[in-house]
Amino acid sequence: MYWLCFALATAFFEALKDIFSKRGLASKGIDPLLVAWALIVLSVPVMAIPAFTHPIPSFDLIARMTLGITAPLHLITWFLYMRALSVSDLSECVPMVMLTPLFMLITGPFFVDEVATRLGILGILFIVSGSYVLNVAQASKGLFAPFAALLVKKGPRLMLVVAAIWSVTAYLDKIGIAHSSAWFWGFSLYAALALLMTLVLIAVKGREVFNQLTDVRRPLMMIGLSNGLSMVC
């Protein structure tokens, strides 16, 4: 029963993260890269609490190598994620991320030799059908017209790329957890992302971009808190 409570809490905090992200992006002149930076950096303190209140595991060579591969991929996805939210509605973008399990049917055998069960495939089909229903009114133009209608828009297209990359990072994260622990891996990943994102933000936008923080301090703090709690759950 505990798993159900944590699953519901994760969904709740994920929804809050998206709402506050959209609110932050709606503010005039706020760069999507800055919002992605806030999400990552402000999540680190939240994730540090369980990481350092549990026994610290060994972080072997495989864990370090996996972190070096997956961190840049996560960095790309968070920028694309915020960019998608900045150009399209939440209702159009977020459901596309639910297609990640569909891509995992392809990536799974390559990384961990996993094959989906019949029940798993059935669940994935339900997820795909949900994306179809979003534009079911377009079905009169053809059987696959609802999917095509989604991909015409930039936001859903970007989210589809995010889903594809997440189908890879999900298995890389699983390898990292196996060679450390769930708590410590999550903290290590976001700490590495915070460092990378800060360097990228300064290199691309300059230090002046941080001046925008004063206008949206509260929603950005809520983005980081919501994401951090979602990851902990």
Side-chain angles (χ1 to χ4, degrees), residues 90-109:
L90 281 173
S91 60
E92 295 174 339
C93 293
V94 175
M96 299 302 288
V97 178
M98 299 301 104
L99 296 178
T100 300
L102 182 63
F103 289 111
M104 291 176 73
L105 290 176
I106 302 171
T107 59

Side-chain angles (χ1 to χ4, degrees), residues 50-51 54-59 173 176-187:
H54 288 77
I56 298 177
S58 61
F59 205 73
D173 291 340
I177 290 171
H179 288 268
S180 55
S181 72
W183 300 118
F184 198 74
W185 174 258
F187 168 76

Side-chain angles (χ1 to χ4, degrees), residues 43-58:
S43 296
V44 174
V46 179
M47 300 177 71
I49 297 172
F52 291 102
T53 53
H54 288 77
I56 298 177
S58 61

